[in-house]
Amino acid sequence: MSKSATVVALGKGERTAAKIREVALDQFSRLGFERVTMGGIAAAAEVSQATLHYHFQDKDQLWRSAMLELSAVISEEERLLSAARDAPPIAQLRMAMRLFLQISWRHPALGRIVALEGMAGGERLDWLNQHLLGPRNRRLVDLARKAMDAGDLKPFPPEMLVVTLQAGAAGVINLAPLMRSAFGIDPDTEAGRAAHEDLILNALVQGLLADRSEIPEETR
Amino acid sequence: MSKSATVVALGKGERTAAKIREVALDQFSRLGFERVTMGGIAAAAEVSQATLHYHFQDKDQLWRSAMLELSAVISEEERLLSAARDAPPIAQLRMAMRLFLQISWRHPALGRIVALEGMAGGERLDWLNQHLLGPRNRRLVDLARKAMDAGDLKPFPPEMLVVTLQAGAAGVINLAPLMRSAFGIDPDTEAGRAAHEDLILNALVQGLLADRSEIPEETR
DNA sequence: AGTTTTCCTGATTTGATACTCAAAAATCAG
DNA sequence: CTGATTTTTGAGTATCAAATCAGGAAAACT
């Protein structure tokens, strides 16, 4: 092993491993764990299947390694948000929500992974919460609770905010195939993206109705 | 073949086929197409695997037959809504949205299926849109457009309403495992259900903020 | 009851996929 | 350049799930 110090050109091994992780992340996020095959990843990464097992023992470990590629995304979100540490909770929350949505768009893999595994449940979801999503979720819940205490947010279980937010992101990111199939609309355009971000945020924050009347109860 | 008229006790065959469809719908909605095995369905339905292939040729056809079990749910929604045919579009839309959410709760399979396949895309999603969801989606879009024309709804692509609504339902139904894993909250209780329905509907219709100030733009 | 038809099953085939391993090829240190 | 080390691979194994089929059980019919 090379003993030269921290800044080194990546060795051959680490370069192919990185390529594999990249391909794997893409496929896992678009197809979900089960529909991805080692063969498919190997082909897309232009290596043999055995190489996958050399660098990452098995499919599960490859999945985890691929997920960790997303750590940087979460960290960046954290960094941007910490700049507003001293703002009132409601302002931080708004910023956090917008950041959440923006990041969901810029890195669709993250949102898709959470939605896919969030529906399936199981060990992989637990792993995600423990290694990737935990701090982010706790921070959002915490902000929501503080904003609620300050009277700036309607009272509801603050954990719901995160799920609702995730679901809102899912609506336009993860359900893109649904939009295409059902309505022939392609949300993967820059114009579409901006419009949809505003729509979701507007919906969550201000609602969609032009007037302010109450929701009818007659159908309960 | 029995020639006796319309009202007959179901023959043995149709009874087991119904049992199989029921089990299949449950498993498909909870696990998604790939994670469900014919063996698993057979075991749960207490028949042999070969019986599945006798009644439904292959896994795809079984899936479709199971999905058609949900037609009744959609029809019931249609029936309830058509009673309000003469109300103003915005009132119909509100009713439709509440119905949509209520039905998502009462029949979680429907919402889960749409979310699961809506993320995956592909032939099964197209089939769902064509055979199950098409009319419902078109009706919602139509109502949204009319409400918009009447000035009762903020302007946005009306198709987004359906996806947003679906996503809202997904947030509490489909992402139940996420809620459990991330927050230790179980949304599968009657109290939880009612609270969540109100939350989503409030969010979509009126927004979550207690005040009415604008969304900040600084993070754009 | 006897006969025909429908229904169900065990055993098997076929196909796909994760994973292993010995050996070849590429890379690197001195 | 040379030998040691890392990396890659082709070929193969084991496992699991879908689909088939011929024969037998059950149901329906007369």
Side-chain angles (χ1 to χ4, degrees):
Chain A
M1 170 142 312
S2 163
K3 282 200 177 144
S4 65
T6 43
V7 181
V8 272
L10 295 181
K12 185 91 195 306
E14 187 44 43
R15 245 180 299 138
T16 53
K19 173 85 174 286
I20 291 169
R21 277 196 298 270
E22 186 190 331
V23 168
L25 177 59
D26 175 62
Q27 297 208 6
F28 280 131
S29 74
R30 285 190 298 104
L31 303 170
F33 187 83
E34 355 273 333
R35 287 152 71 125
V36 169
T37 68
M38 297 301 264
I41 295 174
E46 294 172 305
V47 295
S48 81
Q49 246 184 85
T51 301
L52 268 55
H53 289 280
Y54 171 75
H55 286 284
F56 315 90
Q57 285 104 301
D58 56 24
K59 195 179 174 185
D60 272 280
Q61 297 237 7
L62 174 53
W63 183 85
R64 290 196 194 96
S65 299
M67 291 309 111
L68 288 179
E69 296 282 289
L70 294 169
S71 299
V73 176
I74 304 271
S75 302
E76 171 71 0
E77 187 182 354
E78 194 80 33
R79 198 186 60 73
L80 283 171
L81 198 58
S82 70
R85 202 196 328 260
D86 299 325
I90 185 66
Q92 286 187 60
L93 182 64
R94 281 167 169 162
M95 184 172 172
M97 287 171 68
R98 187 175 278 281
L99 271 175
F100 186 108
L101 288 172
Q102 284 177 350
I103 281 174
S104 295
W105 261 280
R106 295 214 186 102
H107 306 276
L110 180 57
R112 281 194 291 246
I113 290 284
V114 175
L116 276 167
E117 299 298 335
M119 255 188 275
E123 284 183 11
R124 282 193 298 278
L125 179 60
D126 293 341
W127 187 94
L128 280 177
N129 278 317
Q130 203 169 337
H131 294 84
L132 204 64
L133 305 171
R136 178 204 223 187
N137 284 343
R138 278 191 289 277
R139 193 191 57 227
L140 279 167
V141 168
D142 196 51
L143 282 176
R145 203 187 315 271
K146 281 180 184 154
M148 235 172 267
D149 289 346
D152 293 323
L153 204 59
K154 295 179 184 173
F156 56 85
E159 291 82 4
M160 286 301 302
L161 180 73
V162 184
V163 176
T164 306
L165 202 52
Q166 185 63 57
V172 274
I173 306 283
N174 306 322
L175 298 185
L178 176 67
M179 292 202 66
R180 269 187 281 269
S181 174
F183 305 116
I185 286 182
D186 188 345
D188 286 350
T189 64
E190 194 43 56
R193 245 172 250 192
H196 296 161
E197 182 181 325
D198 277 340
L199 172 71
I200 297 292
L201 209 50
N202 258 287
L204 290 182
V205 172
Q206 302 179 299
L208 299 177
L209 289 201
D211 65 39
R212 290 289 165 213
S213 53
E214 289 301 310
I215 308 160
E217 297 290 326
E218 72 268 19
T219 59
R220 284 225 107 168
Chain B
M1 173 150 303
S2 164
K3 284 205 178 140
S4 65
T6 45
V7 181
V8 271
L10 295 181
K12 184 95 194 306
E14 187 44 44
R15 245 179 297 138
T16 53
K19 174 85 174 286
I20 291 169
R21 276 195 300 269
E22 185 190 332
V23 168
L25 177 60
D26 176 62
Q27 297 209 5
F28 279 131
S29 76
R30 286 190 296 102
L31 303 171
F33 187 83
E34 353 274 334
R35 288 152 71 125
V36 169
T37 68
M38 298 298 268
I41 295 173
E46 295 171 305
V47 295
S48 81
Q49 246 185 85
T51 301
L52 268 54
H53 289 280
Y54 172 75
H55 285 285
F56 316 89
Q57 285 104 300
D58 56 24
K59 196 179 173 186
D60 272 280
Q61 297 237 6
L62 173 53
W63 183 85
R64 291 196 193 95
S65 299
M67 291 309 111
L68 288 178
E69 295 283 289
L70 294 168
S71 299
V73 175
I74 304 269
S75 302
E76 172 70 0
E77 188 182 352
E78 193 81 34
R79 198 187 60 75
L80 283 170
L81 198 59
S82 70
R85 201 197 329 260
D86 298 326
I90 186 66
Q92 285 187 62
L93 182 63
R94 281 165 167 162
M95 185 171 171
M97 287 171 67
R98 187 174 277 283
L99 271 175
F100 186 109
L101 287 172
Q102 284 177 350
I103 282 175
S104 296
W105 261 282
R106 296 214 186 101
H107 306 276
L110 179 57
R112 281 194 291 247
I113 289 284
V114 175
L116 276 166
E117 299 298 335
M119 256 188 275
E123 283 183 11
R124 284 194 296 280
L125 179 60
D126 293 340
W127 187 92
L128 280 177
N129 279 317
Q130 202 170 336
H131 294 83
L132 203 64
L133 306 171
R136 178 203 223 188
N137 284 344
R138 278 191 289 278
R139 193 191 58 227
L140 279 167
V141 168
D142 197 50
L143 282 175
R145 202 187 315 271
K146 280 181 184 154
M148 234 172 270
D149 289 346
D152 292 324
L153 204 59
K154 295 178 184 173
F156 56 84
E159 291 83 3
M160 287 301 302
L161 180 75
V162 184
V163 175
T164 306
L165 202 54
Q166 184 63 56
V172 276
I173 307 283
N174 306 322
L175 297 184
L178 175 67
M179 294 203 66
R180 269 188 281 270
S181 174
F183 305 116
I185 287 183
D186 189 345
D188 285 351
T189 63
E190 194 42 57
R193 242 173 254 190
H196 296 161
E197 182 181 324
D198 277 340
L199 173 71
I200 297 292
L201 210 50
N202 258 286
L204 291 182
V205 172
Q206 303 179 300
L208 299 176
L209 289 200
D211 67 37
R212 289 287 163 216
S213 53
E214 287 302 310
I215 308 161
E217 297 288 325
E218 72 268 20
T219 59
R220 285 224 106 166

